Amino acid sequence: MIPDSELSDPAVRALVAAINANDHDAFRAALTDDATMSDDGSDRNLDDWSEREIFSSHGRMDVESESDGGRSLVARFTNDTWGAMRTAWRFTVTDGRISRFDTGQA
């Protein structure tokens, strides 16, 4: 596993650290105001999805590998709803913050 603090891209590092700390404010700070996301190929409402999949269900990412300068991750994502699953994450970074991420089972 790659510790949060050793992830290559600073914006991705901030978002993963916020998820793992269950820190909603830090999560939002890592994103642009108009950030978007998709889960398993379908666009989702970012606020609803993050509340359900991360914050209220204690989501956590254990990063297995990174590529594309740290903007693509494979991680074991665990939450109280679904348990653990191997997931892929792709991030678009704009001006040092994440403007979009796409996730799904790996």
Side-chain angles (χ1 to χ4, degrees):
M1 298 298 161
I2 302 171
D4 302 354
S5 61
E6 294 180 17
L7 293 171
S8 298
D9 187 279
V12 173
R13 184 171 54 239
L15 189 77
V16 172
I19 290 170
N20 289 341
N22 206 289
D23 185 336
H24 190 267
D25 292 337
F27 178 82
R28 288 305 304 172
L31 300 167
T32 62
D33 293 340
D34 60 349
T36 60
M37 59 88 52
S38 72
D39 184 6
D40 286 328
S42 297
D43 280 0
R44 307 286 186 196
N45 177 289
L46 178 57
D47 292 329
D48 292 345
W49 183 90
S50 61
E51 181 57 35
R52 183 179 61 255
E53 300 292 337
I54 298 171
F55 299 108
S56 66
S57 62
H58 307 102
R60 175 159 184 80
M61 290 176 71
D62 293 311
V63 178
E64 296 177 8
S65 64
E66 65 176 1
S67 58
D68 190 27
R71 293 186 179 178
S72 292
L73 306 177
V74 173
R76 181 178 173 90
F77 186 80
T78 306
N79 69 22
D80 293 346
T81 303
W82 304 109
M85 66 188 84
R86 193 165 189 256
T87 55
W89 299 73
R90 288 180 315 280
F91 300 92
T92 302
V93 177
T94 304
D95 297 328
R97 293 167 62 198
I98 294 169
S99 57
R100 180 168 178 88
F101 68 89
D102 301 283
T103 187
Q105 293 194 42

